[in-house]
Amino acid sequence: LVHPSIAQVYDFGEDKNTLYLVMEYVPGVSLRGLDSKLPPLIAARAIKDVCLGLHAAHELQDMSGAPLGVVHRDVSPENLMFTFEGAMKILDFGIALVRDRQAQETVLGHIKGKPAYMSPEQVNNEPIDRRSDIFSAGIVLYEILTGRPLFTGPSMLALALAVTSAQVPRPSALVPEIPSALDNIVLRALSRERDNRYETAAAMANELELFMAQERPISLETFARRELASLHEQHRDWLSRVVGSRTSVPSAFLLGRPEGVPTAIAPAASSRPPSMMLLKTPEPPTQNASIAKRPRSRAFLPVLLGLGVALIGAAAIVAISTREPRTAAPAKACGLSPGTFAERPSEMPDMSFPKLPGAPFVALSPAIAKPAKPPLKHSPSLKKASPRPAAESLPPVEEGKLTLGATPYAWVRIDGRMVGSTPLMGLTLSAGEHQIVLIRPDDGTVRHQETVTIPPGGHEHMLIK
């Protein structure tokens, strides 16, 4: 990705089993770091440049000329930098969707991005395309015009419900000086029906350009040098201390951007504020020199393969034998109540689970079918059984969706398989009965279990307290 509005990656590599990127350094402030709303013409010009960068990413092709289908999925004020020279830079394509790299639907109901800046199709765990980024850019434009967040709520699920159903007032209803033409651009980008949005980010950029042509806007460069002068001076002072720390060690942390990213650390542990201690990944154990120098031999391959098969078999037997009985009394599901949902701590990894009783974790397909019955023992009658019909003749599997929340949050096992943690939103399941088990993340014990029926083509909502 090479574009003036995208922070460029120069190189990547690996050092001591650690992957790294070498990226362009962007001196500036994120849109989140701005203290107040921007003038309408400055906001329009800033998001126009963002749209041009997004369009370049959306149009990216592989070496054969086929589109890669890149979707950023995390367009938010934190990832949009306003440089001190008056340029816009898009950061962090780390969760970008790319053709053939990830499924169009995020598996297991886990949603990538920040809920307050997601498109409705992201929240509903539906296939997404470039128009999802256009919706997110519309949210950012709305917020920097009005100086207030568009979608709010006390929990992740409340935010998701706001994205899909909350009323969106015209920006000029909050800030009267916003021209109606800019109102129309914002509301079109925020259309919940993606066919009613701009077809491309370039089309939205063109509309913003036409709007600005009717006015007399100052340039982003002039605005940045005038309005960001004090922040630029603070940045110069911070940067000089970071560079100087190579020879004169600072007495404590040197903090980076307004988000407080640690960039230089004193070697003495006592000088670090306790709330800012960093966790260092331990180095891998050093291999014994005499073992490392042994010549490679293919003779050990059969032995290693045999041991591997034996270990896998033993693990499967242990998992089956320790599967917990589903005997807890069922609890009633109630309707969604956004205000009662508790957010999962941000530091909890999405797919990191302790060793829990029951079946081992298995990656599921978008439709989670009930576990198949064990095969019948060998019988002479099986030889005379009629052949199974071809796959094409089988009726299609009917599906529905499940939205599940819990207060406090919990890990979820469906039909004996771990599927992640609450909230699960728009998780696709086969129609019929499914066994839902909630597990406490602190001790791994079963907190609740019940059977839920997913109607064909329906959407079951559950809130468990």
Side-chain angles (χ1 to χ4, degrees), residues 330-331 370 432-436 448-453 462:
K370 296 189 71 174
E433 292 187 350
H434 295 273
Q435 188 77 6
I436 309 295
H448 174 86
Q449 70 177 22
E450 68 174 280
T451 300
V452 62
T453 301
M462 298 176 62

Side-chain angles (χ1 to χ4, degrees), residues 93-104:
F93 279 80
I95 65 169
L97 184 75
V98 181
R99 175 180 56 79
D100 296 334
R101 195 192 82 172
Q102 293 170 299
Q104 283 294 316

Side-chain angles (χ1 to χ4, degrees), residues 19 54 72 229 247 276 287 308 366:
L19 300 175
L54 289 174
H72 188 286
T247 55
M276 299 173 120
Q287 193 175 22

Side-chain angles (χ1 to χ4, degrees), residues 297-315:
S297 172
R298 298 180 182 271
F300 290 107
L301 289 178
V303 177
L304 293 176
L305 289 174
L307 288 174
V309 172
L311 289 174
I312 293 173

Side-chain angles (χ1 to χ4, degrees), residues 276-291:
M276 299 173 120
M277 295 292 285
L278 295 183
L279 297 178
K280 183 178 180 182
T281 304
E283 295 287 344
T286 304
Q287 193 175 22
N288 184 280
S290 61
I291 298 177

Side-chain angles (χ1 to χ4, degrees), residues 185-207:
I185 294 173
V186 174
L187 294 180
R188 182 176 176 184
L190 290 174
S191 174
R192 290 190 170 96
E193 295 293 332
R194 57 184 130 182
D195 289 340
N196 295 332
R197 296 176 210 156
Y198 293 100
E199 186 174 352
T200 66
M204 182 175 174
N206 290 337
E207 287 286 322

Side-chain angles (χ1 to χ4, degrees), residues 306-356:
L307 288 174
V309 172
L311 289 174
I312 293 173
I317 292 172
V318 170
I320 293 173
S321 64
T322 58
R323 182 172 297 172
E324 61 188 16
R326 299 167 179 159
T327 56
K332 294 182 179 180
C334 62
L336 293 177
S337 177
T340 60
F341 272 73
E343 285 194 334
R344 181 167 53 86
S346 59
E347 68 272 9
M348 180 65 65
D350 285 341
M351 298 301 295
S352 177
F353 305 103
K355 295 181 179 179
L356 300 175

Side-chain angles (χ1 to χ4, degrees), residues 70-303:
V70 174
V71 184
H72 188 286
R73 295 203 293 183
D74 196 16
V75 178
S76 59
E78 290 83 356
N79 289 334
L80 301 177
M81 291 290 292
F82 192 2
T83 74
F84 296 125
E85 300 301 323
M88 293 300 302
K89 293 281 187 178
I90 305 171
L91 307 179
D92 198 358
F93 279 80
I95 65 169
L97 184 75
V98 181
R99 175 180 56 79
D100 296 334
R101 195 192 82 172
Q102 293 170 299
Q104 283 294 316
E105 294 187 48
T106 306
V107 297
L108 305 182
H110 284 274
I111 297 178
K112 300 289 187 179
K114 301 176 182 67
Y117 298 93
M118 289 180 180
S119 65
E121 53 267 31
Q122 275 182 287
V123 168
N124 291 326
N125 202 27
E126 298 171 349
I128 62 173
D129 57 26
R130 63 176 70 194
R131 291 171 293 181
S132 178
D133 285 345
I134 293 173
F135 189 92
S136 300
I139 299 176
V140 176
L141 178 55
Y142 191 103
E143 293 190 0
I144 62 177
L145 282 170
T146 62
R148 64 186 69 181
L150 176 56
F151 299 122
T152 60
S155 68
M156 288 171 54
L157 185 61
L159 283 172
L161 292 174
V163 169
T164 57
S165 59
Q167 183 70 27
V168 178
R170 299 178 72 87
S172 60
L174 304 176
V175 181
E177 58 266 27
I178 296 176
S180 60
L182 192 52
D183 268 348
N184 295 335
I185 294 173
V186 174
L187 294 180
R188 182 176 176 184
L190 290 174
S191 174
R192 290 190 170 96
E193 295 293 332
R194 57 184 130 182
D195 289 340
N196 295 332
R197 296 176 210 156
Y198 293 100
E199 186 174 352
T200 66
M204 182 175 174
N206 290 337
E207 287 286 322
L208 291 168
E209 186 67 40
L210 289 174
F211 161 73
M212 291 184 294
Q214 302 172 10
E215 308 289 339
R216 293 182 179 179
I218 64 173
S219 67
L220 288 182
E221 294 85 352
T222 302
F223 180 84
R225 290 170 183 170
R226 185 184 69 194
E227 301 296 332
L228 305 182
S230 60
L231 290 175
H232 195 183
E233 187 61 33
Q234 294 174 21
H235 179 269
R236 285 197 188 100
D237 178 64
W238 165 82
L239 189 59
S240 65
R241 287 186 287 129
V242 170
V243 175
S245 68
R246 297 178 181 177
T247 55
S248 57
V249 176
S251 58
F253 265 76
L254 293 177
L255 297 184
R257 306 199 182 284
E259 293 79 9
V261 179
T263 55
I265 307 170
S270 60
S271 64
R272 302 180 187 179
S275 62
M276 299 173 120
M277 295 292 285
L278 295 183
L279 297 178
K280 183 178 180 182
T281 304
E283 295 287 344
T286 304
Q287 193 175 22
N288 184 280
S290 61
I291 298 177
K293 294 180 180 179
R294 289 178 182 173
R296 297 179 180 177
S297 172
R298 298 180 182 271
F300 290 107
L301 289 178
V303 177

